[in-house]
Amino acid sequence: MGTEKIEVRNKFLQKRNELSLDTRTEKSREIIQLVSTLDCVKNAKNILIYVDYRSEVQTREYIKYLIDETNYRIFVPRVEGLDIEFYEIDSMNDLECGYQGILEPKKEEGFKKYDGDDIENTVALIPGSVFDQNGGRLGYGKGFFDRYLNKYKKLIKIGLSFCCQISKKPLPKEEHDILMDYIVTEERMYFI
């Protein structure tokens, strides 16, 4: 990975890490409220969603709400070697500490893996260290989400981001990098 990508990622992660927990919680709720107004989310049957880690846009409250109060099928990622796969869960109790302490579906439970079924009615909520206004995204350097999204290019991809993670300049891009269809911050949505 290029030095430029590492520098850009570190700069924006530092900005995100400087947000207080209360600020992140408040802004995360605003982001989730905006996400839930998108027609593609309202009309979806399947939601692929990450479980927040460290200073990411918080998703746990939303996942619990989706499971308890809606009819969506909810899939969350699990790291398997150099890749991730998304598995359907029915409860937050279906999760355990996995890769780097991130909550993941329990291995021994035999959850259904998302296999591209009903892809036109599926949205994926994606984390990142930095996004640009053209749908560009930098993750954390391992390429898990880029590899996964390259397998399912027709997924509707929604990047969740605090405003401080939006780069005014286009991000350095490589051939395997996947663009988001939407980016949602606490202040606005970007439709790519």
Side-chain angles (χ1 to χ4, degrees), residues 44-129:
K45 292 182 182 164
N46 305 314
I47 296 182
L48 278 55
I49 182 169
Y50 69 95
V51 181
D52 63 90
Y53 179 61
R54 293 189 177 153
S55 61
E56 290 176 334
V57 173
Q58 297 168 0
T59 58
R60 294 174 199 212
E61 200 175 281
Y62 188 45
I63 293 169
K64 188 170 179 349
Y65 164 78
L66 292 170
I67 290 169
D68 294 345
E69 306 292 334
T70 74
N71 293 319
Y72 295 114
R73 295 176 68 199
I74 306 305
F75 296 81
V76 299
R78 182 168 72 212
V79 173
E80 298 181 344
L82 296 175
D83 294 308
I84 55 171
E85 293 291 346
F86 280 78
Y87 291 90
E88 187 171 10
I89 62 167
D90 296 314
S91 161
M92 292 301 279
N93 294 329
D94 292 342
L95 304 174
E96 65 183 2
C97 275
Y99 177 79
Q100 292 191 349
I102 300 169
L103 289 178
E104 301 180 337
K106 294 176 181 173
K107 286 187 172 70
E108 70 279 357
E109 298 294 326
F111 297 112
K112 180 179 178 359
K113 185 191 304 190
Y114 181 73
D115 59 5
D117 182 43
D118 211 6
I119 201 163
E120 64 279 355
N121 292 309
T122 303
V123 298
L125 305 184
I126 309 294
S129 57

Side-chain angles (χ1 to χ4, degrees), residues 126-161:
I126 309 294
S129 57
V130 55
F131 297 86
D132 67 26
Q133 298 172 11
N134 305 313
R137 168 190 173 273
L138 289 182
Y140 303 102
K142 300 282 189 195
F144 290 128
F145 280 93
D146 284 323
R147 278 192 299 282
Y148 187 82
L149 296 172
N150 265 300
K151 286 196 308 191
Y152 299 112
K153 291 186 175 164
K154 292 185 179 176
L155 280 173
I156 297 168
K157 297 162 289 299
I158 304 170
L160 303 188
S161 170

